[in-house]
Structures are given as C-alpha cells and as structure tokens.
C-alpha cells in the first residue's frame, strides 16, 4: 500500500508552469492586497450595501448613495456634496470654477500692448 503524505498538498494551478503570470506574480502587490484587507475592516463594509455606495473621505466607511446626512455617521466628518469617493475612483459632481477672471488682467494687458504696438506701427508706416 502507498504511504500517506505528511506535507500539505500545495494549491493546484492546473497545467501551468512556474512562468505563468499567476504563479510568477504570486508574491507581488502585497501593498495593494494589504490595503484591500484593511478596507474590508472599514465601518459599514461588513454590513454589505447596495449596488452604488460611496465612502467617507476620512474614515473610508460605507455610506448609502442616497444619504442626505451632512456628516459621516461613523466618524463625524463633513460630507462634501461636490466629490464622492467610490471603490477606486472619486467623482466630482460640480465642474471647477472658471479661471477666466484670474486671466482677465493678463488678457486686457495683452490687448492694450497689442493696440499700442499696432498704433506705433501705423505711425511708423505713415
């Protein structure tokens, strides 16, 4: 009869060599994996949620998409209406304010300079 194995059998990767990407990357991205392990401990994550939740910018706790609260129920941080953090991106609801007013003095100065140069050119040609 055969001998029993004392060593635990390693997980099967099927017909893949050691060069296959899933084996070659086995010990890579530990920082990202640790981040997602920590994310799973954030407030409200264990409770599950709907298909579209967002996260508190401060404590990363889960908040309902339709919440009307002005502060996070987990940490008390103010919930800003213009930006929401989702699983791996942040959505900005409001477009940025225009830079036009900031650039207006430079535009006016450029137009005045252009007018002075054009006037000087006209007098020089006449």
């Amino acid at each position: 009869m055969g001998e029993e194995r004392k060593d635990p059998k390693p997980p099967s990767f099927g017909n893949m060599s050691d060069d296959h990407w899933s084996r070659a990357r086995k010990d890579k991205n530990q920082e990202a994996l640790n981040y997602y392990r920590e994310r799973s401990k954030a407030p409200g994550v264990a409770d599950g949620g709907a298909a579209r939740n967002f996260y508190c910018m401060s404590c990363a706790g889960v908040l309902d998409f339709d919440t009307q609260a002005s502060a996070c129920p987990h940490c008390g941080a103010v919930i800003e209406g213009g930006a929401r953090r989702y699983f791996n991106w942040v959505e900005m609801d409001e477009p940025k304010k225009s830079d036009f007013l900031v650039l207006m003095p430079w535009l006016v100065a450029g137009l005045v300079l252009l007018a002075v140069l054009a006037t000087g050119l006209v007098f020089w040609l006449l």
Side-chain angles (χ1 to χ4, degrees):
M1 298 260 162
E3 284 184 32
E4 279 189 37
R5 287 182 109 177
K6 294 181 181 178
D7 299 332
K9 189 175 180 181
S12 172
F13 288 92
N15 281 338
M16 293 184 272
S17 72
D18 288 337
D19 296 329
H20 190 271
W21 68 267
S22 63
R23 283 189 173 193
R25 296 182 56 88
K26 181 175 74 169
D27 297 322
K28 304 277 184 188
N29 301 321
Q30 287 304 311
E31 184 179 339
L33 292 172
N34 290 336
Y35 169 77
Y36 288 118
R37 285 185 189 110
E38 286 301 311
R39 275 291 302 120
S40 68
K41 298 175 188 170
V45 173
D47 302 337
R52 187 145 164 97
N53 293 321
F54 67 100
Y55 301 96
C56 173
M57 296 283 201
S58 296
C59 72
V62 176
L63 303 168
D64 290 332
F65 180 74
D66 296 327
T67 188
Q68 300 297 319
S70 59
C72 174
H74 308 110
C75 69
V78 175
I79 298 174
E80 301 205 20
R84 287 190 171 185
R85 176 181 169 200
Y86 292 95
F87 181 70
N88 58 355
W89 73 92
V90 174
E91 283 186 7
M92 307 293 266
D93 292 338
E94 299 172 7
K96 287 184 140 186
K97 302 260 189 274
S98 173
D99 290 334
F100 183 73
L101 292 177
V102 175
L103 297 175
M104 181 62 91
W106 292 99
L107 180 63
V108 170
L111 289 174
V112 167
L113 180 63
L114 185 63
V116 168
L117 290 174
T119 304
L121 182 64
V122 168
F123 281 118
W124 183 69
L125 290 174
L126 293 177

